[in-house]
Amino acid sequence: MTFAGHYIYLASRSPRRRELLKQIGVRHSVLLMRETVSRAVDIDETPLLDESPTDYVYRITHAKAEAGRIRLIQRKLPLFPVLAADTIVALDGCIFGKPKDAIHAEEMLTALSGRTHQVLTAIALNLQGTIKHRLSITTVRFREIGKREIQACIAGGEAFDKAGAYAIQGMAAAFIVEIFGSYSGVMGLPLFETAQLLEESGIKVFPES
């Protein structure tokens, strides 16, 4: 069975991922997961002891895709494919997720200053209970970042809800000396890998003329 012409569900609140899917003409709806104070989160994103960045991002993305299908069944929604993604920054084997607060964000950006790091974005597609994965790894080199610049990023709000406390499409673009890999992957959804995975699964990419 194929899903050509059907919607998929995007198991993410990220407006950036929605825009990227729209960019390649993928029809989709957002599948909201539990993230409120009164209800437990669907996925515990705490890294395991000695877990590598690659193993971590694969595990979390797989869990999101699995939880997404379970949520469809619980809500009695049409069982269209569920696309999940997770993005992290890796520096010297350490995993940088989203900062907890302004102090944490400043620590992350200070650590990345003048250094080369990797941005890993994994995607997973749950198609009738079978989960397929892809991984994008992009190398990014930052120039030295001044304390005033770091504080400006944090004050502007773009450091929050972003892996590594920065957005490549925001103020932090001025810090990047070079990038090798996927720009959209750093934004949170690598379009080459996403289009490839969807097309292999019989899901339309690009709108019809």
Side-chain angles (χ1 to χ4, degrees), residues 31-53:
L31 179 62
L32 297 179
M33 311 297 278
R34 292 184 295 190
E35 296 180 358
T36 63
V37 174
S38 61
R39 302 175 70 186
V41 296
D42 288 277
I43 308 298
D44 180 359
E45 298 189 18
T46 305
L48 302 177
L49 184 64
D50 296 326
E51 188 172 30
S52 72

Side-chain angles (χ1 to χ4, degrees), residues 58-205:
Y58 268 129
R59 177 175 64 85
I60 297 300
T61 308
H62 186 99
K64 288 180 178 180
E66 198 167 49
R69 182 172 173 85
I70 292 171
R71 188 66 65 246
L72 294 182
I73 294 170
Q74 290 173 338
R75 297 177 185 172
K76 296 181 171 56
L77 295 171
L79 297 179
F80 295 147
V82 176
L83 178 68
D86 193 65
T87 301
I88 61 168
V89 165
L91 179 68
D92 297 333
C94 295
I95 297 169
F96 287 17
K98 299 172 184 177
K100 298 187 291 286
D101 51 34
I103 293 174
H104 194 201
E106 184 171 357
E107 290 172 352
M108 286 185 179
L109 290 171
T110 300
L112 296 175
S113 175
R115 302 286 306 280
T116 297
H117 62 271
Q118 284 72 47
V119 180
L120 289 75
T121 296
I123 57 172
L125 184 70
N126 193 330
L127 189 69
Q128 296 181 298
T130 298
I131 301 177
K132 300 178 181 180
H133 303 86
R134 292 289 189 279
L135 176 65
S136 167
I137 302 178
T138 300
T139 299
V140 180
R141 181 160 68 93
F142 274 7
R143 63 167 171 80
E144 294 285 344
I145 313 170
K147 187 176 180 65
R148 180 184 62 81
E149 294 172 312
I150 290 174
Q151 291 175 342
C153 274
I154 295 170
E158 71 174 52
F160 302 103
D161 197 36
K162 310 286 193 307
Y166 78 90
I168 192 171
Q169 72 277 21
M171 191 180 299
F175 308 152
I176 296 172
V177 177
E178 60 182 1
I179 173 175
F180 181 78
S182 171
Y183 182 92
S184 59
V186 180
M187 286 183 68
L189 192 72
L191 290 183
F192 172 77
E193 289 82 359
T194 299
Q196 185 182 59
L197 181 57
L198 293 175
E199 288 177 338
E200 287 177 1
S201 302
I203 299 165
K204 282 186 177 179
V205 176

